[in-house]
Amino acid sequence: MVASWLAALFGQGCAAAETLTVGPFTVEAVERKVSAGGFPNTSGNPFKRAPVTTYRVRHRGKPVPLPGTGTDRGAHWTEVRVLTGAPQPALLLMETGAYLLTEADGRQHLEELAPRLSSNTEWQWLDAEAGQPGPQNIVGLAHRPGQPLELSGGRWLSVFGEIVLDVKTLAIHRYKLNSTGVLDHLQRFYAAGKPILAFSPGGTQFVVAGERDRPGESDLSKRFEWALIAFDFTRQQGTVFPIDLAAWRLQDERDIDPAFARKVVAWRVGPDGREQAYLREASPP
């Protein structure tokens, strides 16, 4: 079914507007040209133009506006994805923020996932291949001829570094790694905006790297401390595991990558039935 309307949408190549229908929603893929002075990394020719693909979305014929713009006209959304694993027709709409579009009682329901002008502009599956995080995908203007609009490949989706969406149920778990309370709880290790490195077997916690200043340290090479953080996004709580680079025989913080996180962080079920992360011991030198 998905393949049929994707073929209808993109089979004709670059058209002024091609339309698909997903339940009560219609999506128009609109190709237009914008100044290519720096889009992206061009020669700077002020007369050069580059094609981009944007999208208009309607609910039962009525345009879905971009919140905060003061207009009821349909927006040119930067990216639109159909959540194929959702229990009802559901669209992920992205511009400089992100929104979940569904229908409730015959009306469009637009749920803000990340506000407009958010600093983080990406989405990432937490349980992609082998149940572990996939790559970060950056949201931005691009030319997408023939690119499918369905979004599949997992159940747990991190959007703009601010929410985890359970695609299977459409439940939204909000988190703020840079809020004062969470930072205090995480011993001031800062992890906001960093890629997620590992995911727990039960789908309740993700692992991310964090850093903090060493107070009074004048040597720039020793200025920062590093940690892995196992964060329970359902409860806004985390466990901090400081990482001694020398003890783990790491050259620098760039070696705190997905392979390292999945190697050293292990999981067990605690007495309360919740997942608990623990750090394996460093191998002796």
Side-chain angles (χ1 to χ4, degrees):
M1 178 180 69
V2 171
S4 62
W5 49 253
L6 287 176
L9 174 63
F10 292 111
Q12 302 301 318
C14 294
E18 297 287 350
T19 304
L20 67 86
T21 300
V22 184
F25 307 111
T26 58
V27 182
E28 289 181 333
V30 181
E31 298 217 358
R32 56 196 178 99
K33 290 189 176 182
V34 299
S35 173
F39 180 86
N41 302 322
T42 59
S43 64
N45 181 352
F47 302 104
K48 190 175 180 62
R49 308 285 287 177
V52 297
T53 307
T54 56
Y55 304 92
R56 291 194 186 102
V57 181
R58 289 183 173 85
H59 171 257
R60 301 190 183 279
K62 183 178 180 180
V64 178
L66 182 62
T69 59
T71 177
D72 291 333
R73 294 179 298 174
H76 275 280
W77 295 95
T78 302
E79 193 167 346
V80 174
R81 294 298 186 102
V82 180
L83 299 174
T84 58
Q88 67 184 88
L91 303 180
L92 181 63
L93 311 183
M94 292 170 281
E95 193 236 15
T96 57
Y99 302 85
L100 176 65
L101 177 62
T102 56
E103 182 181 69
D105 299 324
R107 298 182 179 182
Q108 62 171 296
H109 180 68
L110 197 62
E111 179 82 13
E112 181 182 272
L113 304 181
R116 293 193 68 215
L117 306 178
S118 294
S119 58
N120 300 316
T121 57
E122 77 280 335
W123 54 266
Q124 182 182 15
W125 283 115
L126 300 186
D127 57 340
E129 186 176 356
Q132 291 301 307
Q136 283 186 320
N137 295 270
I138 304 300
V139 178
L141 280 176
H143 189 217
R144 302 182 178 90
Q147 176 176 319
L149 290 180
E150 79 273 17
L151 188 55
S152 59
R155 171 179 177 177
W156 304 96
L157 185 67
S158 172
V159 183
F160 279 57
E162 298 194 3
I163 69 101
V164 172
L165 173 65
D166 181 353
V167 175
K168 185 177 181 180
T169 65
L170 296 182
I172 297 170
H173 303 279
R174 302 182 185 274
Y175 64 91
K176 283 282 190 181
L177 291 175
N178 58 354
S179 69
T180 300
V182 170
L183 277 172
D184 288 341
H185 176 71
L186 299 181
Q187 304 171 36
R188 309 305 294 179
F189 279 97
Y190 189 87
K194 299 183 183 297
I196 294 171
L197 305 177
F199 197 49
S200 67
T204 63
Q205 300 182 46
F206 59 73
V207 178
V208 66
E211 62 185 64
R212 71 179 180 187
D213 288 323
R214 280 193 173 101
E217 180 58 64
S218 58
D219 186 344
L220 292 179
S221 65
K222 301 178 181 178
R223 181 177 176 181
F224 295 104
E225 296 176 303
W226 305 92
L228 285 172
I229 297 165
F231 191 76
D232 187 331
F233 54 85
T234 66
R235 297 192 300 163
Q236 294 280 296
Q237 295 181 3
T239 305
V240 177
F241 303 107
I243 298 296
D244 185 324
L245 299 181
W248 286 99
R249 299 197 289 275
L250 304 178
Q251 291 187 353
D252 56 40
E253 69 278 3
R254 290 172 295 184
D255 289 334
I256 305 177
D257 59 9
F260 175 76
R262 297 167 197 178
K263 174 183 176 182
V264 304
V265 177
W267 304 92
R268 61 193 170 206
V269 178
D272 59 356
R274 297 181 182 273
E275 289 184 299
Q276 292 182 347
Y278 66 95
L279 196 67
R280 294 187 172 98
E281 293 184 3
S283 302

